[in-house]
Amino acid sequence: MQTRKKYIFLTFLASWLLLFFFGGDQLRHFAFFSGRKAKARRNWPHWTDRSLLKNFADPDELQRDGDLSLLSPRERRAAWLSVSKSSRCRMETCFDFSRCEKHGFKVFTYPQERGQPISESYGKILSSIERSRYHTANPEEACLFILSIDTLDRDHLSGQYVRNVDEKIRSFPLWNGGRNHLIFNLYSGTWPNYTGDLGFDIGQAILAKASFDTESFRPGFDVSIPLFSKDHPQRGGERGWLYQDSVPPKKKYLLVFKGKRYLTGIGSGTRNALHHIHNGKDIISLTTCKHGKDWEKHKDTRCDKDNVDYEKFDYQELLHNSTFCIVPRGRRLGSFRFLEALQAACIPVLLSDGWELPFAEAIDWGKAAVVGSERLLLQIPSAVRCMHPERVLAFQQQTQFLWDAYFSSVDKIVHTTLEIIKDRLSPHRSRSRFLWNALPGGLLVLPDFSTHPGEFPFYYLQHGSSPSKKFTAFIRAVSPAGSLSQPILRLIQAVSGSQYCAQILVLWSCEKPPPPIGKWPQTSVPLTIIQGRRKLSDRFFPFEAIQTDAVLSLDEHTSLSTSEVDFAFVVWRSFPERIVGFPTQSHFWDPEQGRWGYTSKWTNELSIVLTAAAFYHRYYHSLFTEYLPAGLRELVDGLAACEDILMNVLVAAVTKLPPIKVTQRKQQKEVVAQQAQCRDGAAGTRPPGQRSPSAPHSAPAKMKGTARSGRFSQRQDCLNQLADWFGYMPLVSSQLRLDPVLFKDQVSVLRKKYPRLEKP
Amino acid sequence: IMCASAKYNTRGPALIPRMKTKHRIYYITLFSIVLLGLIATGMFQFWPHSIESSSDWTVEKRSVHDVPVVKLPADSPIPERGDLSCRMHTCFDVYRCGFNPKNKIKVYIYSLKKYVDEYGTSVSNTISREYNELLTAISDSEFYTDDVTRACLFVPSIDVLNQNALRIKETAQALAQLSRWDRGTNHLLFNMLPGGPPDYNTALDVPRDRALLAGGGFSTWTYRQGYDVSIPVYSPLSGEVDLPERGPGPRRYFILSSQMALHPEYRLELEALQAENGESVLILDKCTNLSDGVPAVRKRCYKNQVFDYPQVLQESTFCVVLRGARLGQAVLSDVLQAGCVPVIIADSYILPFSEVLDWKRASVVIPEEKMPEMYSILQSIPQRQIEEMQRQARWFWEAYFRSMKAIALATLQIINDRIYPYAAISYEEWNDPPAVKWSSVSNPLFLPLIPPQSQGFTAIVLTYDRVESLFRVITEVSKVPSLSKLLVVWNNQNKNPPEDSLWPKIRVPLKVVRTAENKLSNRFFPYDEIETEAVLAIDDDIIMLTSDELQFGYEVWREFPDRLVGYPGRLHLWDHEMNKWKYESEWTNEVSMVLTGAAFYHKYFNYLYTYKMPGDIKNWVDAHMNCEDIAMNFLVANVTGKSVIKVTPRKKFKCPECTAIDGLSLDQTHMVERSECINKFASVFGTMPLKVVEHRADPVLYKDDFPEKLKSFPNIGSL
């Protein structure tokens, strides 16, 4: 009975289904035919005679391209120069390239006039320029001119507004209609419409301005800079706040905003609408009406509640704990909040239509910020929610990279501005967009060295290439006598024995001429002698002769074996952006003296690899010589043993990573730590603290305590001066050493690739 | 229908066995009928459809000459001239584009009409071949919609590619009477040859109000950045001539100029260059004495020598692209096609697709003033870079120049990226040639961060039922100072974990996660309980690692947070006899993998392992209950391009006493299986990502002659 019921039921079901299928289909067919016309996609027709259609232009017309006889290119260019209005300025019409040809890119700052008040921020900008390697005190040499008049705040209601700028400018003999001048500005225009008006005629000067709008921005000519506060540090700058990479982002909030709204006037629309996306959970969007003196006059119905909610959250707390931060326009297009969000690794969601983003000529903001549209505010929550966690992670890291590379100090902002302008002078020697947007950033990549990513130590992985398989040994020789010392002979033998050695260069840093070529040992690789200028910084000069990616920097007294060299080079190829070497030292913060200390004692940590025996990329020679300002190199030349610390500091500042120590056969710290100089003298008797570039040292074993401590205090001084110049201590410590895989293992020596490293 | 039938079929078999045979037959018949019905339905669905569409086809199969004619009255409105201040936020109506889950704009194409003036004279050629190709490409693309009400962007079918082929005022009138014109809002015009004699404007002269212009010869003064799109001037030779890609490298000539119509001033300068540098510079001109029938556009001459064009472009490293009357030149396309690096000399020219393409990687831009220095400028470019530029030039042509389709789609994509910026195509996707995309690595943890030590690490112990050993591991690991949490992944579904009171008492939180299935991949799941970046994966039988060793491992991981940091190392080798990869567990001088029986790594890799493992590797590992560690090594190396870090001399996990090499003497099949894993994974990844290194990390003072007491990590075990 049961089963039969089931059967009947099933039959019923089956026939019903059948009916449904056929009947339904029939029904659908009716709909199909009637609705067909509307529903079918009407594509662009395939014309029967499409193959007979005429070309848009005759091939001959394309190749000949119009009548040429009409305007001579030279005349056309001359015409540009004469008629161009300042609003239509471009580099080729308003900038005199010829000024930059002879002396290169040199920047002149007008001398400051007495009684001329200068805001803190403008003071920082000027000193950044004066600290830069492009600065010149001679206007004749200059390619770019910077006014001493503070033009940062051009809101005439502001206390820092400088009056009669026009008159002052016209009295400058160098002004020349503003040609080749760069004018900095943070605030322009005033209430109620905050236009781009500066209150004086900038003529043909380049404008580096915050809150630039795309309409008045002269592409390829002006520079958009970020708005920064007067507390923005001169140099160094704070780190970003991201110290943890997590996926999915483990932040409390998804999207936050906390700020004023204006109720009326320009920019109020955007901020007044922000409350719509507030959900009280992961999206916090708070506004206060308390703004200006008479806000209560314009107060609307929401104000009271908004003001109460506003006080419930702390701005800093929100900034730290959110994945995305809304950065809406204020009265002007840019706001402090932009840099704040960037530093906090809170991905900026920009709601500022028509804002020419800071340094957009160089920076690809699409990798670090969400450029929203003011009109589509309501789409923002779903858009950011849908972003993939990996993308969010990449954006967060990119904010930190950009912050640190271009924004964290006034120095960086100003130098980025200068580099962008410099890149325009010779387009073929400029940074590609890739170089600007990949670590370590455009400021640390010198296009004069190369414009090819494969020649720098930073991009091997992204570029899919690897460093060259050979190295150049670079020995600094200071033999006092006319003959060669035993150590250098041994060193040349050991190094030339390496299968990876391409050539040996000897930098002869003595007054006496080097021994004749016949006295040098016979080597399987070419040996070249370069006459140096006896400056310590000379050892990091980018000599033409260095053609391999890797440089093995050596001192005459260094003692190394071939296996040590081989192993260290193989390690370097895994870490081409770092210094890889043997003897190491470390720095530490000395809280008692309130300064950096330095030790060469055996420690469990290291942060400096002595360049008396170290591999590094040849690019660091260029960076050392061309990136660092001359003043810093002079400092190094003045101190007896500072140049290798500077090199370490430089590389650490670039990579943010510690150097790498590799196994050394026997400890020879005492030997290689010496910066021996020419002219054998009263070794070790020189009183401590005496700063002489030619402080003589010789056979290191003979070193006495006083000289040693003198050297120490010099190195310590050096460390502290460098930390001061960089604005922070770039050195990073490491706790490890890299050894061969089977190092000192209890296995047969025959199995080991580097058995000699273990010999006592 | 598909869903319904599937449901029915799966339910069917379960019912049938319980019935008698007679009934069974009956039901089988019944179901067959249903099934037949289904098939029939399917047939009905498809047959008439295709018949119908082909009938539509015939309707659409018509000639361009049959399109409706529209007469424009002389006084019909003319749009305003182009508004130079237009930007997306001022002149573009984004509300039309709406929120769109696919993040694709919808593009509508007006149907083709023939426009005539009052006297019946046509306004322009109805449509050119190229514009028809362009519209066909849009129509075939994902952007297309035929629903004018849903469209975000409108493309008129009025052909304005060549300004010289149209009547300006009447064309403008034709635009103005388009059904959705609305001052040109959201309308996109394509133009390649703008301006006309004598001054050759750099943008289309047809008044077009707010319409966007995809133009082929913009100067910085007419180009509205972020609004207009700069496009190439299409060269018909792209379609006609097949120039096979030539490997990068030095060419016969260093600099070549192939343009026929050069201003005499330029030609003089080029000839001066040639005089100075001899045969490496070749300045070609039109041929004067060609026999009839030879197309002049395909020949170039130098004195009496005749060269085939564009083939001759492949003979030179650099090819000069000088401005003519217009800034945009079709020769740029030919030059790129030939893989010749363009030397662009056209002040103020906005290069094609400059909003997204990085032209510094494919070309050299030289200011007109600096023409005399061209030779020395080009000589200063390193050979490696030239070769890359040659490849890049060819890639730009292939991707963005070769057809009207490529040009149309790139233009639409650029506009799309502006409207959905959070879904925009990245710089790398636009610019990297496929070979670079393939060989380059973009590390997801690219920022050099040294995680703070205070964060500590989370130890994850995967266990099945070895409780005693597990407890020993827990006790040992808990001694490591930086341990912040211990997570036990209980992979045994048949047995409950021991009671809370039985677990060892340790100073950090201990959590037990029970899994639904006994799978190896459970060890690599990104559990919410993992709050630190660092994860220590450790087997439930690894008891010989000392606290110093583990702490040191953690410190090493902090210095290399994007790598696998582990103890025993392994190596992959190429077996030349068998022609495949081989797994090696001998004590070698090299390392390319570390075992995850005890290894530190970033939690992010758990996420990648669980959700982004390529191919079927994850399931394969779970099914074979082996090689999860090799899979992890592959994954990390592939995504970061970096090697593992082996720490300390530790060589073995199992049996600390015995000196025999594990694997070799114990389990030959195990080794074979591991080798198979490597081969399998290498084929899934399409490459061998593992990196071989010769170093391991030891504490700075390891084995140094120095008091052990003063060493940070004195207790480093051996072997």
Side-chain angles (χ1 to χ4, degrees):
Chain A
M1 187 63 196
Q2 268 264 308
T3 33
R4 184 160 300 174
K5 249 185 192 169
K6 216 180 256 171
Y7 295 171
I8 290 167
F9 172 72
L10 271 169
T11 326
F12 202 75
L13 197 74
S15 37
W16 183 79
L17 265 170
L18 264 171
L19 200 83
F20 175 78
F21 282 135
F22 287 106
D25 203 54
Q26 283 298 317
L27 278 172
R28 217 169 313 110
H29 263 266
F30 281 118
F32 195 65
F33 282 119
S34 53
R36 179 74 192 151
K37 282 282 176 293
K39 272 190 177 174
R41 201 163 107 141
R42 280 170 311 178
N43 283 343
W44 182 254
H46 287 249
W47 307 105
T48 47
D49 47 358
R50 61 184 181 278
S51 55
L52 302 174
L53 291 173
K54 275 170 55 176
N55 286 106
F56 78 108
D58 189 52
D60 196 50
E61 182 188 354
L62 270 181
Q63 291 189 356
R64 282 174 193 282
D65 186 39
D67 188 358
L68 286 162
S69 55
L70 291 162
L71 194 57
S72 132
R74 207 162 290 144
E75 283 167 25
R76 188 185 55 237
R77 291 201 294 270
W80 277 354
L81 293 184
S82 56
V83 298
S84 55
K85 285 187 291 180
S86 71
S87 64
R88 285 164 58 88
C89 267
R90 298 294 184 269
M91 290 304 271
E92 55 267 37
T93 64
C94 293
F95 195 89
D96 184 359
F97 288 89
S98 65
R99 292 208 70 120
C100 313
E101 265 158 26
K102 201 164 165 208
H103 301 280
F105 186 67
K106 288 287 174 201
V107 185
F108 172 78
T109 47
Y110 281 62
Q112 284 178 42
E113 286 170 36
R114 273 194 206 161
Q116 180 84 59
I118 276 187
S119 66
E120 208 177 318
S121 297
Y122 200 61
K124 284 180 183 170
I125 289 180
L126 292 180
S127 91
S128 286
I129 292 164
E130 278 151 21
R131 278 159 51 79
S132 114
R133 61 183 186 278
Y134 299 123
H135 182 250
T136 177
N138 179 4
E140 295 293 309
E141 286 183 358
C143 159
L144 197 63
F145 297 83
I146 319 275
L147 295 178
S148 58
I149 302 171
D150 184 349
T151 50
L152 286 189
D153 194 342
R154 299 305 298 163
D155 181 341
H156 66 75
L157 298 177
S158 152
Q160 286 172 333
Y161 182 80
V162 180
R163 280 162 216 290
N164 307 328
V165 174
D166 262 329
E167 277 171 38
K168 285 176 190 153
I169 284 177
R170 261 182 242 118
S171 70
F172 293 137
L174 296 168
W175 175 248
N176 189 18
R179 283 206 140 208
N180 291 37
H181 278 65
L182 173 64
I183 288 170
F184 286 93
N185 174 262
L186 294 181
Y187 308 97
S188 66
T190 187
W191 195 84
N193 48 12
Y194 297 90
T195 58
D197 178 36
L198 291 182
F200 67 98
D201 181 15
I202 59 164
Q204 298 189 326
I206 297 174
L207 189 56
K209 179 175 157 357
S211 301
F212 235 128
D213 67 301
T214 45
E215 216 178 294
S216 56
F217 182 79
R218 296 167 293 182
F221 189 70
D222 290 327
V223 182
S224 175
I225 60 170
L227 186 64
F228 59 90
S229 74
K230 66 178 181 5
D231 305 321
H232 210 58
Q234 172 82 60
R235 63 187 82 164
E238 279 179 55
R239 293 191 33 164
W241 293 349
L242 182 77
Y243 64 95
Q244 184 170 3
D245 291 327
S246 49
V247 163
K250 274 192 320 205
K251 299 228 184 169
K252 192 169 164 191
Y253 307 110
L254 175 72
L255 181 66
V256 299
F257 173 77
K258 185 183 176 191
K260 291 169 188 160
R261 66 188 171 96
Y262 307 120
L263 301 166
T264 55
I266 189 164
S268 58
T270 310
R271 290 197 171 195
N272 286 347
L274 284 172
H275 71 96
H276 287 297
I277 59 169
H278 177 81
N279 69 6
K281 291 187 213 98
D282 60 347
I283 298 178
I284 304 295
S285 181
L286 304 164
T287 51
T288 177
C289 301
K290 291 181 186 165
H291 171 70
K293 288 168 203 145
D294 55 349
W295 67 273
E296 297 202 44
K297 265 195 249 164
H298 308 286
K299 175 168 158 175
D300 60 21
T301 49
R302 277 187 13 250
C303 273
D304 289 325
K305 185 179 175 300
D306 281 359
N307 290 353
V308 171
D309 285 343
Y310 185 82
E311 300 302 331
K312 288 184 190 156
F313 290 86
D314 176 55
Y315 177 66
Q316 291 294 325
E317 202 258 345
L318 290 176
L319 203 56
H320 270 93
N321 293 299
S322 180
T323 310
F324 294 92
C325 282
I326 299 180
V327 180
R329 59 167 301 161
R331 291 294 196 198
R332 299 185 178 88
L333 291 169
S335 58
F336 293 123
R337 156 187 324 273
F338 179 65
L339 284 191
E340 285 163 358
L342 208 61
Q343 179 181 14
C346 188
I347 301 166
V349 176
L350 303 173
L351 294 176
S352 189
D353 287 351
W355 184 22
E356 174 71 24
L357 297 181
F359 304 136
E361 190 172 337
I363 295 175
D364 183 357
W365 284 107
K367 282 175 154 43
V370 177
V371 187
S373 161
E374 286 177 38
R375 293 179 290 175
L376 299 180
L377 171 70
L378 298 183
Q379 286 186 11
I380 296 292
S382 44
V384 296
R385 226 183 268 283
C386 294
M387 244 167 94
H388 282 284
E390 300 108 285
R391 205 169 149 97
V392 171
L393 180 64
F395 270 54
Q396 285 176 330
Q397 293 178 80
Q398 191 76 5
T399 60
Q400 301 296 282
F401 152 59
L402 293 175
W403 163 257
D404 187 67
Y406 305 116
F407 298 106
S408 66
S409 66
V410 177
D411 267 10
K412 284 173 188 165
I413 294 174
V414 170
H415 292 169
T416 307
T417 311
L418 294 183
E419 293 293 344
I420 286 177
I421 296 170
K422 180 175 176 271
D423 264 7
R424 295 171 186 163
L425 301 183
S426 44
H428 61 280
R429 272 256 164 257
S430 63
R431 301 161 180 90
S432 67
R433 219 169 158 72
F434 169 78
L435 296 178
W436 279 109
N437 290 285
L439 279 159
L443 298 187
L444 295 164
V445 168
L446 306 177
D448 292 319
F449 170 75
S450 175
T451 44
H452 181 52
E455 304 205 352
F456 291 92
F458 317 116
Y459 313 113
Y460 291 116
L461 286 173
Q462 286 125 300
H463 192 249
S465 61
S466 54
S468 61
K469 293 193 172 68
K470 298 267 177 178
F471 68 84
T472 301
F474 188 77
I475 308 173
R476 183 165 178 273
V478 287
S479 285
S483 66
L484 291 166
S485 64
Q486 277 305 307
I488 198 173
L489 294 177
R490 272 202 302 271
L491 187 60
I492 289 173
Q493 288 301 346
V495 169
S496 65
S498 165
Q499 53 175 317
Y500 307 114
C501 183
Q503 59 168 340
I504 298 177
L505 298 177
V506 178
L507 178 67
W508 191 259
S509 306
C510 281
E511 271 167 21
K512 289 181 188 148
I517 203 75
K519 294 226 173 171
W520 293 87
Q522 292 287 317
T523 52
S524 50
V525 295
L527 188 146
T528 318
I529 295 144
I530 305 171
Q531 186 69 52
R533 288 167 303 148
R534 300 205 55 239
K535 275 189 180 172
L536 284 167
S537 56
D538 231 24
R539 76 175 312 160
F540 299 127
F541 187 81
F543 293 101
E544 278 278 313
I546 306 174
Q547 285 296 326
T548 56
D549 288 338
V551 177
L552 169 59
S553 167
L554 297 164
D555 269 359
E556 172 177 0
H557 298 281
T558 305
S559 151
L560 282 180
S561 70
T562 306
S563 347
E564 283 171 309
V565 170
D566 281 348
F567 176 66
F569 179 67
V570 171
V571 170
W572 177 83
R573 290 202 33 167
S574 296
F575 305 96
E577 78 280 27
R578 307 203 204 185
I579 303 182
V580 174
F582 301 90
T584 54
Q585 296 173 342
S586 60
H587 76 290
F588 58 92
W589 178 248
D590 186 342
E592 279 172 29
Q593 296 192 31
R595 54 184 264 157
W596 293 100
Y598 147 89
T599 175
S600 68
K601 298 251 169 58
W602 282 0
T603 55
N604 287 294
E605 292 195 342
L606 64 103
S607 53
I608 297 168
V609 167
L610 297 184
T611 53
F615 278 101
Y616 50 78
H617 198 280
R618 78 185 173 112
Y619 174 62
Y620 290 125
H621 276 220
S622 290
L623 211 54
F624 188 97
T625 309
E626 271 135 42
Y627 170 74
L628 296 173
L632 207 53
R633 280 198 310 281
E634 279 161 23
L635 168 85
V636 166
D637 285 330
L639 293 167
C642 186
E643 83 286 359
D644 59 342
I645 297 186
L646 176 54
M647 188 53 140
N648 274 274
V649 167
L650 176 65
V651 175
V654 171
T655 62
K656 323 266 180 244
L657 295 170
I660 284 177
K661 178 182 174 63
V662 289
T663 331
Q664 198 174 0
R665 189 159 41 102
K666 61 179 183 198
Q667 294 303 315
Q668 47 206 313
K669 197 161 303 186
E670 294 302 314
V671 181
V672 287
Q674 301 315 315
Q675 288 299 318
Q677 297 289 320
C678 299
R679 273 188 288 132
D680 201 358
T685 55
R686 194 162 285 270
Q690 179 166 346
R691 283 214 209 156
S692 158
S694 55
H697 301 295
S698 74
K702 288 181 205 151
M703 289 292 288
K704 297 220 175 89
T706 46
R708 230 176 107 174
S709 63
R711 222 182 92 82
F712 262 36
S713 75
Q714 285 207 358
R715 281 177 82 84
Q716 202 142 315
D717 273 355
C718 161
L719 197 60
N720 282 287
Q721 292 196 40
L722 294 182
D724 181 54
W725 192 88
F726 278 85
Y728 72 111
M729 170 47 80
L731 290 177
V732 186
S733 294
S734 167
Q735 301 197 58
L736 58 93
R737 181 183 83 198
L738 295 183
D739 296 334
V741 173
L742 298 179
F743 182 68
K744 294 206 175 169
D745 281 348
Q746 289 160 341
V747 288
S748 160
V749 173
L750 296 174
R751 297 181 73 141
K752 297 188 180 180
K753 189 170 175 187
Y754 303 101
R756 283 159 183 277
L757 293 186
E758 298 173 20
K759 284 190 183 161
Chain B
I1 292 165
M2 283 287 282
C3 298
S5 73
K7 221 174 181 176
Y8 214 71
N9 281 337
T10 51
R11 275 171 108 199
L15 290 168
I16 292 165
R18 281 190 277 154
M19 300 166 190
K20 287 176 192 162
T21 330
K22 204 171 105 190
H23 292 123
R24 199 180 293 168
I25 293 165
Y26 172 67
Y27 275 99
I28 288 172
T29 333
L30 200 75
F31 283 123
S32 318
I33 292 168
V34 172
L35 210 72
L36 268 170
L38 281 177
I39 293 167
T41 322
M43 302 274 264
F44 271 115
Q45 276 291 323
F46 290 105
W47 271 112
H49 189 100
S50 44
I51 290 166
E52 203 168 49
S53 55
S54 67
S55 65
D56 264 6
W57 206 264
T58 44
V59 175
E60 296 286 53
K61 250 195 180 171
R62 48 204 171 110
S63 156
V64 176
H65 299 290
D66 302 338
V67 299
V69 176
V70 178
K71 188 176 260 187
L72 299 165
D75 57 349
S76 67
I78 302 175
E80 301 270 317
R81 283 198 60 85
D83 181 355
L84 266 180
S85 66
C86 263
R87 293 295 180 273
M88 289 305 267
H89 67 280
T90 55
C91 294
F92 193 87
D93 181 5
V94 273
Y95 298 116
R96 278 191 192 279
C97 307
F99 186 70
N100 184 326
K102 277 199 210 149
N103 296 323
K104 283 262 180 250
I105 53 170
K106 292 269 165 233
V107 183
Y108 174 81
I109 305 175
Y110 287 98
S111 57
L112 188 63
K113 305 232 166 72
K114 184 180 171 66
Y115 294 93
V116 295
D117 64 11
E118 273 190 321
Y119 311 104
T121 327
S122 65
V123 166
S124 64
N125 288 331
T126 316
I127 191 166
S128 67
R129 176 191 296 215
E130 283 81 7
Y131 201 55
N132 180 49
E133 282 168 14
L134 182 138
L135 294 181
T136 308
I138 295 178
S139 157
D140 291 344
S141 76
E142 276 188 89
F143 295 108
Y144 180 71
T145 180
D146 58 1
D147 184 353
V148 72
T149 58
R150 294 180 58 195
C152 154
L153 200 62
F154 303 88
V155 180
S157 56
I158 302 166
D159 182 355
V160 293
L161 280 181
N162 182 356
Q163 185 182 317
N164 283 353
L166 51 84
R167 292 159 67 192
I168 289 173
K169 183 185 147 211
E170 289 77 6
T171 307
Q173 286 173 323
L175 286 174
Q177 55 75 52
L178 290 171
S179 61
R180 301 266 165 164
W181 178 249
D182 184 23
R183 300 190 57 202
T185 312
N186 293 23
H187 280 62
L188 174 65
L189 305 179
F190 286 88
N191 168 256
M192 287 179 176
L193 299 180
D199 56 343
Y200 289 98
N201 191 0
T202 52
L204 179 67
D205 281 321
V206 175
R208 53 187 193 279
D209 213 334
R210 296 173 146 191
L212 296 120
L213 183 60
F218 280 119
S219 80
T220 63
W221 291 288
T222 48
Y223 178 64
R224 295 168 292 183
Q225 195 156 16
Y227 193 66
D228 290 327
V229 182
S230 175
I231 59 168
V233 180
Y234 176 72
S235 166
L237 295 182
S238 285
E240 285 170 25
V241 186
D242 181 36
L243 287 182
E245 185 170 0
R246 228 177 122 167
R251 304 280 154 91
R252 190 165 161 210
Y253 303 105
F254 188 60
I255 301 175
L256 176 91
S257 162
S258 66
Q259 285 166 282
M260 294 198 285
L262 290 180
H263 192 277
E265 272 180 34
Y266 291 139
R267 193 167 283 281
L268 278 178
E269 296 212 43
L270 287 175
E271 279 164 3
L273 270 178
Q274 190 177 26
E276 217 173 292
N277 300 292
E279 291 203 337
S280 61
V281 181
L282 182 64
I283 312 295
L284 299 174
D285 201 348
K286 58 177 173 286
C287 298
T288 43
N289 48 358
L290 282 179
S291 50
D292 289 343
V294 181
V297 291
R298 300 287 304 275
K299 294 285 174 200
R300 293 290 186 276
C301 287
Y302 173 64
K303 293 184 179 162
N304 288 326
Q305 268 179 286
V306 183
F307 298 86
D308 284 328
Y309 184 86
Q311 287 82 352
V312 65
L313 296 172
Q314 289 199 310
E315 302 299 322
S316 180
T317 306
F318 291 101
C319 293
V320 181
V321 178
L322 263 161
R323 64 164 295 161
R326 297 186 184 87
L327 285 165
Q329 296 289 314
V331 67
L332 178 61
S333 175
D334 302 338
V335 166
L336 294 173
Q337 184 182 10
C340 184
V341 181
V343 179
I344 294 157
I345 307 177
D347 285 0
S348 85
Y349 176 42
I350 302 287
L351 283 161
F353 303 127
S354 62
E355 189 170 334
V356 292
L357 298 190
D358 189 347
W359 279 95
K360 284 181 187 168
R361 286 170 64 177
S363 69
V364 185
V365 177
I366 294 183
E368 290 179 32
E369 295 265 358
K370 293 207 173 170
M371 247 177 97
E373 294 157 49
M374 174 158 62
Y375 197 85
S376 57
I377 287 173
L378 298 180
Q379 282 235 299
S380 71
I381 301 172
Q383 183 60 32
R384 278 165 78 185
Q385 189 173 358
I386 292 176
E387 287 174 17
E388 223 148 274
M389 289 170 127
Q390 288 170 328
R391 261 190 296 254
Q392 191 77 15
R394 174 75 184 195
W395 151 247
F396 275 2
W397 176 77
E398 276 171 9
Y400 310 113
F401 279 70
R402 76 179 304 158
S403 62
M404 291 305 288
K405 180 180 175 181
I407 296 171
L409 296 186
T411 308
L412 293 184
Q413 187 62 49
I414 287 174
I415 297 171
N416 196 73
D417 284 0
R418 293 178 190 159
I419 291 164
Y420 304 107
Y422 36 85
I425 285 186
S426 70
Y427 169 90
E428 286 77 15
E429 285 169 85
W430 280 109
N431 288 285
D432 286 349
V436 173
K437 282 193 186 111
W438 180 241
S439 66
S440 76
V441 178
S442 61
N443 187 351
L445 304 172
F446 61 86
L447 193 72
L449 283 178
I450 296 188
Q453 191 195 36
S454 57
Q455 214 186 100
F457 65 89
T458 307
I460 301 183
V461 195
L462 184 73
T463 191
Y464 192 74
D465 56 5
R466 287 186 287 202
V467 174
E468 192 190 336
S469 157
L470 169 71
F471 284 0
R472 266 184 79 190
V473 169
I474 292 175
T475 318
E476 288 300 318
V477 172
S478 71
K479 292 176 189 158
V480 184
S482 284
L483 178 74
S484 76
K485 190 190 264 183
L486 214 150
L487 203 62
V488 174
V489 179
W490 190 263
N491 225 2
N492 189 341
Q493 287 74 40
N494 305 320
K495 198 169 142 187
N496 288 335
E499 274 177 48
D500 285 355
S501 58
L502 299 173
W503 291 81
K505 300 283 169 290
I506 58 171
R507 55 171 187 89
V508 296
L510 189 153
K511 288 248 168 82
V512 181
V513 184
R514 301 197 59 179
T515 58
E517 238 180 304
N518 179 18
K519 289 197 291 191
L520 274 179
S521 55
N522 289 336
R523 108 170 312 169
F524 294 136
F525 187 82
Y527 299 100
D528 284 340
E529 284 82 0
I530 309 174
E531 287 170 302
T532 59
E533 281 178 274
V535 172
L536 167 67
I538 189 158
D539 283 349
D540 60 1
D541 56 349
I542 309 291
I543 45 171
M544 76 297 283
L545 289 172
T546 66
S547 170
D548 268 359
E549 266 178 298
L550 286 170
Q551 180 67 23
F552 177 66
Y554 172 62
E555 297 294 342
V556 173
W557 174 84
R558 285 181 54 230
E559 291 187 34
F560 301 99
D562 54 349
R563 303 187 190 220
L564 273 173
V565 173
Y567 298 85
R570 293 291 180 263
L571 185 65
H572 72 286
L573 290 170
W574 183 252
D575 186 336
H576 287 283
E577 280 169 31
M578 308 288 285
N579 247 342
K580 55 184 203 177
W581 296 106
K582 197 177 117 196
Y583 179 77
E584 181 63 87
S585 70
E586 286 263 10
W587 298 355
T588 55
N589 285 290
E590 293 165 324
V591 164
S592 63
M593 292 173 271
V594 290
L595 301 181
T596 53
F600 288 94
Y601 58 87
H602 198 284
K603 184 190 172 184
Y604 180 70
F605 297 126
N606 270 353
Y607 170 84
L608 283 189
Y609 188 98
T610 308
Y611 301 111
K612 305 278 159 169
M613 181 64 91
D616 60 341
I617 292 182
K618 195 172 157 239
N619 292 333
W620 194 90
V621 165
D622 284 336
H624 288 73
M625 283 301 247
N626 196 356
C627 296
E628 88 286 8
D629 51 351
I630 298 181
M632 190 57 146
N633 273 280
F634 264 75
L635 181 77
V636 176
N638 186 57
V639 79
T640 64
K642 296 181 179 176
S643 66
V644 296
I645 302 270
K646 169 183 164 43
V647 282
T648 73
R650 188 67 69 185
K651 300 276 180 291
K652 295 174 299 167
F653 279 148
K654 312 287 151 69
C655 66
E657 309 78 30
C658 51
T659 48
I661 298 146
D662 64 327
L664 244 192
S665 56
L666 299 172
D667 196 357
Q668 201 61 46
T669 55
H670 172 74
M671 301 300 292
V672 172
E673 210 170 279
R674 305 276 280 177
S675 293
E676 262 172 33
C677 289
I678 294 187
N679 284 296
K680 153 100 188 156
F681 298 166
S683 75
V684 173
F685 277 86
T687 176
M688 168 47 78
L690 298 178
K691 298 272 182 296
V692 180
V693 291
E694 300 184 1
H695 54 253
R696 69 167 201 241
D698 289 326
V700 175
L701 299 175
Y702 174 73
K703 294 247 169 167
D704 273 354
D705 189 10
F706 194 71
E708 293 291 314
K709 269 189 211 164
L710 297 177
K711 293 185 179 175
S712 305
F713 308 100
N715 192 11
I716 297 291
S718 60
L719 300 185

